[in-house]
């Protein structure tokens, strides 16, 4: 019998799969590992006796400081590089910093050596507020035993153990790692791992469990599984297929693997998927597939087969309700003054201020415990995730966070300084202390407790936690004169606490007279004015230094001509449900930066009714000036707007500048305002100064378009017709075959265009009766209380009624129950929102209230509707 090439490739694939899936016993694996390690040691010129084994991600992560410092031995480097090439989690961990704490008493010259960690990306404010909350979790499972078996918790139809001989496996049996198991037809099963994780298998699913160090790997050959992963401590839980690898720490997700590749869907938590050397981070509702061009599978379908589907859905409902309860916690009161901003250095480039939210976090924790006590679904989930042990650590962390929060002021300020060339200089974090005399002893006690707890749990903190508290500024000189130590340095001056990863920055801060006053920078002045109005969360950036680097680039001329490089600073702030951002310029706005006109009363909005689903309006410079700006920006370029219009004028016989653009004003409004089926009801309103000239230009353009179509041998033609309705001339522009058509008219200096004549007539009637969106109570409720009525632009959205309309249309068209349920969820969660902008001579301010359009859609799909989505039939 001959074997063709295809059959031979198939045999090779099968042989390769058999080799990969062949289970190696622990003794053989250990012997092979010892042989390899012995050869590596022999090859190393710097070998040391009795080198420890390197097992699991934790051991490799302990080598990362040495790897960063270039001090790994050759044998260690080979193993380290090999592990990083196949472990996406450790690759990411390699670039992240490790944090910790140590106390230096005031005036003490000798400082204990800090562990070699990278603090350049430290969020120092978090170290003050949530220091203990993070520390309580570090290293708590480092001494965990390596898993070696799983228990068959549920198996109504039994299971099959594959290998040299096929044997049945019954419920309650123990499965050793390395064995391949399969569920029979019509029956699934449930496995429980030693760490509490649960794996639910669908019928005809085949997998094997393996371990390496503290890591557990679920090797899925085929089928469907739902994984409820518990916290993994020092190890990781993996799911591996032949084309993807999933890394998990405490979450609920599904994996499907078959002829169509692998598909991963997340119900709760967060997973990381390494697919063809591409990393994906998935959150609740997310899905990724290895099959190119594959369509999304509704999450409901992914768990439809599960015997515990009702439990999953109940859990998601409880988590969603808990999120709503936490969102309802009242926001912190606005702050109207700050001394922390004044104390920032003169070269301040970035500033951020956040409220002390320790009590808010504590309240969120209380709500969680209350919900946990009253919800069986949430309680079951918490128990499965080892909530008894985790809860004790969480309670202690929240209590420690609250203790820190009770001892600092209402505000934490973060400042970043830049050098004159635009490169990063240093970082400072400032806050105040309520009981400054007691703080050193309190901090020392907290650090001592954390240090003892971490050592008890096996964490490597022999040198202490690298946070250095200095109460005497003279001690900073000894720190700055020695070699740079990685860590967080705290300087206490009376009731002021300053933190920085650089002792030199603290020394420079301490050398300045805190009572001295200097002329405030434009950034500081702008921030001060915002405080006077009241702020909650606020941030600012000095753009002058950053943009100066752009100006020096060779190809920056178009940007300089546009006017955007004249930006001076940016301020972003939040007050409750309102947010605002202001982009300020060094001088008067010009060219493209000045297109948005100053606030004005806009008449185009009078044509938009309160029933609009979406509306956008703006007032711009006149179109002719905007065209001239485009020519200025494109100066020296091969093409320009002027050249294009000249060519168009020669071809069409219409001067767009004089006949079209010059006839238009700068005001424009657009809205989706009316039924969405079978044709969406939209309207476009443009300000016009000469309707007769504009109509002549439209007729000339239609004539030119028909001539062009005829020259190309096409039969399609466009036509303009008109009729008088209610004493007003109504125009219709349409194609002969009816594939395109609009209606329009001119009224009181506005060109009003609509998708259909009834929509156009309704817009005219609404304006005449004073029925306008901007006069409705719903719009008024969204308008920011501290802003003027006139703005330069706004965008309004209210998707709830639109979703209800689509839901009704879907019912009439026979849309599936799942799709209608999704639309209903969208309708209930998509509230009205308003975003606005104002243009001032030297600034542009943007703000908003309510959920944004994108936020409404995203929260809906990731919320209650995500499990119920279904493609459903198309609606014409």
């Amino acid at each position: 019998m001959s074997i063709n090439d295809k059959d031979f490739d198939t045999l090779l694939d099968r042989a390769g799969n058999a080799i990969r899936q062949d289970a190696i016993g622990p003794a053989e694996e250990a012997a092979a590992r010892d042989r390899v390690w012995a050869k590596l040691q022999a090859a190393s010129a710097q070998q040391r006796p009795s080198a420890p084994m390197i097992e699991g991600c934790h051991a490799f992560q302990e080598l990362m400081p040495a790897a960063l410092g270039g001090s790994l031995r050759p044998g260690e480097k080979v193993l380290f590089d090999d592990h990083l090439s196949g472990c996406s989690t450790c690759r990411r961990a390699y670039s992240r910093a490790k944090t910790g704490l140590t106390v230096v008493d005031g005036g003490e010259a000798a400082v204990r050596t800090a562990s070699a960690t990278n603090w350049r990306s430290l969020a120092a404010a978090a170290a003050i507020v949530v220091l203990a909350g993070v520390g309580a979790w570090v290293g708590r499972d480092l001494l965990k035993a390596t898993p070696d078996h799983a228990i068959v918790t549920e198996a109504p139809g039994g299971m099959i153990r594959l290998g040299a001989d096929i044997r049945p496996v019954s419920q309650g049996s123990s499965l050793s790692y390395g064995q391949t198991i399969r569920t029979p037809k019509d029956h699934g099963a449930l496995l429980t791992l030693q760490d509490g994780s649960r794996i639910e298998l669908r019928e005809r699913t085949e997998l094997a469990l393996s371990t390496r160090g503290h890591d557990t790997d679920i090797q899925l050959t085929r089928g469907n599984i739902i994984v409820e992963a518990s916290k993994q401590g020092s190890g990781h839980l993996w799911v591996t297929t032949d084309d993807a690898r999933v890394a998990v720490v405490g979450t609920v997700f599904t994996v499907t693997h078959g002829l169509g590749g692998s598909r991963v869907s997340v119900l709760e938590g967060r997973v990381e998927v390494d697919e063809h050397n591409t990393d994906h981070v998935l959150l609740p509702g997310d899905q990724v597939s290895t099959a190119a061009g594959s369509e999304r599978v509704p999450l409901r379908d992914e768990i439809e087969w599960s015997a515990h589907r009702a439990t999953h859905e109940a859990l998601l409902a409880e988590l969603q309700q808990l999120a709503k309860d936490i969102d309802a916690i009242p926001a912190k009161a606005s702050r109207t003054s700050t001394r922390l901003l004044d104390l920032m250095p003169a070269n301040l480039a970035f500033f951020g201020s956040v409220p002390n939210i320790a009590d808010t976090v504590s309240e969120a924790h209380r709500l969680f415990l209350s919900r946990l006590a009253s919800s069986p679904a949430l309680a079951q989930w918490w128990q499965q995730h080892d909530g008894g042990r985790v809860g004790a650590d969480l309670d202690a962390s929240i209590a420690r966070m609250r203790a820190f929060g009770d001892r600092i002021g209402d505000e934490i300020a973060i400042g970043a300084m830049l050098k004159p060339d635009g490169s990063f200089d240093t970082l400072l974090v400032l806050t105040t202390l309520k009981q400054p005399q007691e703080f050193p002893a309190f901090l020392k006690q907290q650090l001592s407790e954390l240090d003892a707890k971490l050592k008890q749990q096996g964490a490597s903190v022999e040198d202490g936690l690298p946070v250095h508290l200095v109460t005497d500024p003279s001690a900073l000189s000894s720190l700055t004169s020695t070699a740079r130590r990685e860590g967080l340095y705290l300087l206490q001056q009376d009731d002021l606490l300053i933190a920085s990863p650089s002792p030199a920055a603290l020394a420079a801060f301490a050398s300045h007279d805190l009572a001295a006053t200097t002329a405030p920078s434009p950034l500081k002045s702008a921030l001060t004015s915002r405080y006077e109005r009241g702020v909650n969360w606020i941030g600012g950036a000095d753009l002058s230094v950053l943009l100066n680097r752009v100006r020096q680039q060779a190809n920056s001329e178009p940007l300089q001509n546009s006017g955007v490089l004249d930006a001076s600073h940016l301020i972003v702030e939040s007050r409750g449900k309102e947010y605002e951002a202001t982009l300020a310029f060094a001088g008067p706005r010009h060219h493209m930066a000045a297109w948005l006109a100053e606030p004005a009363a806009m008449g185009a909005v009078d044509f938009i009714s309160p029933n609009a689903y979406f509306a956008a309006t703006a007032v711009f410079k006149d179109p002719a000036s905007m065209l001239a700006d485009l020519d200025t920006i494109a100066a020296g370029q091969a093409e320009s707007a002027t050249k294009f219009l000249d060519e168009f004028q020669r071809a069409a016989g219409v001067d767009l500048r004089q006949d079209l653009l010059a006839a238009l004003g700068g005001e424009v409004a657009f809205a989706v305002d009316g039924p969405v089926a079978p044709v969406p009801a939209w309207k476009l309103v443009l300000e016009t100064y000469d309707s007769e000239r504009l109509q002549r230009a439209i007729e000339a353009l239609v004539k030119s378009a028909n001539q062009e179509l005829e020259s190309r041998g096409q039969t399609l033609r466009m036509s303009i017709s008109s009729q008088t309705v209610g004493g007003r001339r109504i125009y219709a522009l349409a194609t002969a075959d009816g594939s395109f058509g609009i209606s329009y008219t001119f009224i009181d200096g506005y060109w009003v265009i609509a998708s259909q004549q009834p929509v156009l007539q309704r817009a005219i009637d609404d304006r005449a009766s004073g029925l306008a969106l901007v006069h409705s109570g719903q719009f008024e409720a969204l308008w920011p209380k501290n802003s003027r009525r006139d703005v330069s632009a706004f965008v309004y959205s209210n998707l709830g009624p639109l979703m209800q309309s689509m839901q009704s249309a879907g019912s009439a068209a026979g849309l599936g129950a799942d799709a209608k349920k999704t639309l209903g969820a969208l309708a209930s969660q998509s509230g009205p929102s308003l975003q606005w902008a104002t243009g001032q001579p030297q600034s542009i301010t943007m703000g908003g209230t309510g959920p944004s359009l994108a936020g409404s859609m995203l929260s809906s799909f990731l919320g209650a509707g995500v499990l119920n989505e279904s493609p459903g039939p198309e609606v014409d």
Side-chain angles (χ1 to χ4, degrees):
M1 180 178 69
S2 63
I3 300 177
N4 58 36
D5 292 341
K6 184 176 181 180
D7 292 335
F8 187 71
D9 290 340
T10 301
L11 290 175
L12 284 178
D13 290 340
R14 291 177 178 174
N17 289 332
I19 292 173
R20 285 193 296 268
Q21 297 174 6
D22 187 22
I24 301 176
E28 295 172 311
E29 181 182 358
R33 183 174 56 206
D34 292 342
R35 289 195 299 272
V36 173
W37 182 248
K39 291 180 180 180
L40 290 173
Q41 286 182 308
S44 173
Q46 305 175 15
Q47 77 173 53
R48 291 178 292 186
S50 303
M53 291 293 184
I54 307 176
E55 296 187 14
C57 290
H58 174 69
F60 281 101
Q61 290 174 14
E62 287 184 338
L63 294 176
M64 289 180 181
L68 290 170
S71 59
L72 283 181
R73 293 171 297 162
E76 291 174 332
K77 188 176 187 307
V78 171
L79 293 176
F80 184 82
D81 292 343
D82 177 71
H83 181 77
L84 254 63
S85 67
C87 179
S88 60
T89 299
C90 285
R91 284 200 303 272
R92 281 183 288 275
Y94 189 45
S95 64
R96 292 197 294 260
K98 305 294 181 183
T99 61
L101 295 172
T102 286
V103 177
V104 178
D105 292 331
E108 184 177 358
V111 181
R112 287 184 289 171
T113 303
S115 60
T117 54
N118 184 358
W119 283 76
R120 285 173 292 181
S121 60
L122 173 69
I128 299 173
V129 181
V130 299
L131 174 67
V134 175
W137 295 81
V138 178
R140 62 190 178 87
D141 287 330
L142 296 182
L143 302 179
K144 181 180 175 182
T146 300
D148 59 5
H149 71 276
I151 301 298
V152 183
T153 308
E154 297 177 10
M159 300 179 68
I160 301 173
R161 179 187 299 146
L162 305 178
D165 55 346
I166 299 176
R167 298 180 181 178
V169 180
S170 59
Q171 183 169 312
S173 300
S174 176
L175 292 173
S176 299
Y177 280 26
Q179 297 177 335
T180 301
I181 54 176
R182 182 188 300 164
T183 50
K185 65 177 182 178
D186 300 329
H187 292 286
L190 181 67
L191 305 180
T192 301
L193 307 185
Q194 286 177 269
D195 64 0
S197 298
R198 308 198 322 167
I199 311 168
E200 186 175 6
L201 292 75
R202 193 177 186 176
E203 62 169 332
R204 301 182 185 277
T205 295
E206 183 176 312
L207 59 78
L209 300 175
S210 64
T211 183
R212 182 178 180 181
H214 295 302
D215 294 351
T216 298
D217 194 358
I218 305 170
Q219 300 169 347
L220 180 62
T221 305
R222 68 179 64 87
N224 307 63
I225 61 174
I226 299 176
V227 181
E228 298 177 52
S230 64
K231 295 292 182 181
Q232 297 300 301
S234 60
H236 292 89
L237 178 64
W238 303 86
V239 178
T240 305
T241 66
D242 58 14
D243 57 1
R245 198 173 193 206
V246 185
V248 200
V249 180
T251 185
V252 181
F253 66 103
T254 73
V255 182
T256 298
H257 181 60
L259 297 178
S262 300
R263 185 172 60 253
V264 182
S265 306
V266 180
L267 281 73
E268 179 265 320
R270 176 180 182 272
V271 305
E272 300 175 1
V273 181
D274 187 352
E275 177 254 333
H276 299 312
N277 294 323
T278 300
D279 292 334
H280 306 272
V281 177
L282 306 185
L283 300 176
D286 290 348
Q287 184 179 96
V288 67
S289 175
T290 61
S294 61
E295 295 184 356
R296 176 184 174 86
V297 176
L299 294 190
R300 173 171 181 161
D301 293 351
E302 293 288 72
I303 64 171
E304 186 72 39
W305 54 271
S306 172
H308 303 274
R309 178 175 183 267
T311 301
H312 294 312
E313 291 184 332
L315 170 62
L316 286 173
E318 290 294 340
L319 292 175
Q320 290 157 10
Q321 184 58 49
L322 177 61
K324 292 180 179 179
D325 293 342
I326 293 176
D327 287 341
I329 296 176
K332 302 291 291 185
S334 297
R335 303 182 302 283
T336 57
S337 63
T338 177
R339 60 183 279 215
L340 304 181
L341 174 63
D342 297 334
L343 295 174
M344 287 291 178
N347 61 335
L348 178 67
F350 297 95
F351 177 84
S353 173
V354 299
N356 178 359
I357 60 171
D359 55 347
T360 303
V361 174
S362 180
E363 174 63 12
H365 181 235
R366 187 195 66 78
L367 289 174
F368 170 72
L369 295 179
S370 175
R371 197 80 189 173
L372 187 66
S374 61
S375 168
L378 200 59
Q380 181 181 359
W381 168 80
W382 189 238
Q383 182 180 5
Q384 291 170 356
H385 283 67
D386 203 5
R389 179 167 58 92
V390 173
D393 286 340
L394 181 60
D395 293 345
S397 299
I398 297 297
R400 187 169 282 115
M401 181 189 303
R402 184 63 185 266
F404 272 94
D406 288 343
R407 283 165 174 79
I408 65 174
D410 295 333
E411 181 179 29
I412 303 170
I414 306 171
M417 277 54 71
L418 296 183
K419 297 177 181 178
D421 63 356
S423 60
F424 177 76
D425 185 7
T426 190
L427 178 75
L428 289 176
V429 180
L430 279 66
T431 190
T432 55
L433 299 173
K434 296 178 180 178
Q435 299 171 323
Q437 295 83 4
E438 300 176 3
F439 184 76
F442 164 76
L443 180 62
K444 188 172 183 178
Q445 177 186 358
Q446 293 295 320
L447 301 181
S448 177
E449 292 177 359
L450 280 174
D451 187 73
K453 184 176 181 61
L454 294 176
K455 288 180 179 179
Q456 181 182 11
Q457 294 174 339
S460 179
V461 289
E462 290 80 3
D463 294 327
L465 300 169
V467 164
H468 315 280
L469 175 64
V470 179
T471 56
D472 183 359
S474 63
L476 292 170
S477 59
S478 63
L479 296 177
T480 56
S481 62
T482 58
R484 173 66 183 273
R485 305 177 189 277
E486 299 290 351
L488 177 65
Y489 295 84
L490 304 177
L491 171 64
Q492 182 180 349
Q493 289 187 295
D494 297 326
D495 69 334
L496 187 65
L497 185 67
I498 312 100
S500 177
S502 168
L506 293 182
F509 182 92
S511 66
H512 289 83
D513 182 4
L514 300 184
T517 58
T518 58
S521 66
L523 175 61
K524 282 190 174 182
S525 297
L527 289 167
T528 300
S529 66
R530 297 307 193 282
Y531 269 97
E532 292 173 354
R533 297 189 321 189
V535 302
N536 198 333
W537 302 71
I538 189 169
D542 187 337
L543 303 179
S544 57
V545 177
L546 296 176
L547 293 180
N548 188 48
R549 302 181 69 178
V550 179
R551 296 187 195 98
Q552 296 173 0
Q553 297 178 1
N555 58 349
S556 65
E557 184 176 357
L559 281 176
Q560 294 188 44
N561 292 337
S562 71
V564 298
L565 294 186
D566 292 340
S568 170
H569 58 266
L570 174 68
I571 305 292
V572 180
E573 57 183 310
S574 170
R575 296 179 302 276
K577 294 184 178 181
E578 297 182 10
Y579 62 89
E580 184 175 301
T582 299
L583 179 64
F585 294 84
R589 292 185 294 131
H590 63 91
H591 293 126
M592 186 179 293
W595 281 7
L596 187 67
E598 294 187 33
M602 293 179 281
V605 296
D606 292 338
F607 293 94
I608 303 174
S609 81
N611 298 321
Y613 304 129
F614 173 85
T617 183
V619 55
F620 297 103
K621 290 174 58 176
D622 66 275
S625 297
M626 295 169 66
L627 179 62
D629 288 338
L630 288 176
D631 278 340
T632 301
I633 295 170
Q637 305 297 317
E639 297 290 340
S640 70
T642 299
K643 183 178 180 180
F644 168 78
L645 290 178
D646 289 341
E647 293 177 353
F648 183 87
Q649 181 176 342
R650 287 193 296 270
V654 177
D655 188 341
L656 291 185
R657 296 183 191 84
Q658 299 299 321
D659 297 334
L660 185 62
L661 297 181
L664 293 175
E667 187 181 346
V668 59
F670 174 81
V672 178
D673 189 357
V676 295
V679 177
W682 59 264
K683 61 187 69 171
L684 175 65
V685 185
L686 300 167
E687 185 183 16
T688 178
Y689 297 145
D690 193 336
S691 59
E692 293 183 0
R693 182 166 50 162
L694 185 57
Q695 179 59 28
R696 289 195 299 268
I698 296 172
E699 293 173 352
L701 287 173
V702 170
K703 180 179 178 180
S704 176
N706 286 334
Q707 290 174 348
E708 178 66 19
L709 291 171
E710 184 177 2
S711 67
R712 295 183 180 184
Q714 298 184 14
T715 59
L716 184 65
R717 296 291 184 274
M718 300 183 68
S719 64
I720 298 179
S721 61
S722 65
Q723 59 178 319
T724 301
V725 179
R728 184 174 304 282
R729 178 70 64 179
I730 303 295
Y731 298 89
L733 173 62
T735 56
D737 62 357
S739 59
F740 169 80
I742 60 172
S743 295
Y744 67 89
T745 189
F746 301 98
I747 176 173
D748 297 338
Y750 289 99
W751 179 18
V752 187
I753 311 168
S755 55
Q756 294 175 314
Q757 183 174 331
V759 178
L760 177 65
Q761 188 60 50
R762 187 163 54 249
I764 297 172
D765 294 341
D766 288 343
R767 178 177 182 264
S769 62
L771 187 63
L773 170 67
V774 293
H775 303 313
S776 66
Q778 188 164 252
F779 188 91
E780 292 280 355
L782 292 171
W783 197 260
K785 303 302 182 292
N786 61 344
S787 296
R788 297 179 299 172
R789 164 58 60 188
D790 293 338
V791 296
S792 302
F794 72 77
V795 175
Y796 168 86
S797 63
N798 186 13
L799 296 182
L802 176 60
M803 296 300 109
Q804 293 174 353
S805 176
M806 294 175 64
Q807 188 180 27
S808 300
S811 299
L815 194 64
D818 292 339
K820 288 188 292 184
K821 192 173 182 180
T822 299
L823 291 174
L826 282 169
S828 64
Q829 299 187 31
S830 301
S833 68
L834 177 68
Q835 287 76 45
W836 52 268
T838 61
Q840 298 294 340
Q842 291 188 214
S843 66
I844 297 175
T845 300
M846 296 155 284
T849 53
S852 65
L853 176 64
S856 297
M857 295 288 290
L858 183 62
S859 64
S860 298
F861 278 112
L862 295 187
V866 74
L867 274 183
N868 305 301
E869 57 180 322
S870 179
E874 295 183 358
V875 180
D876 294 329

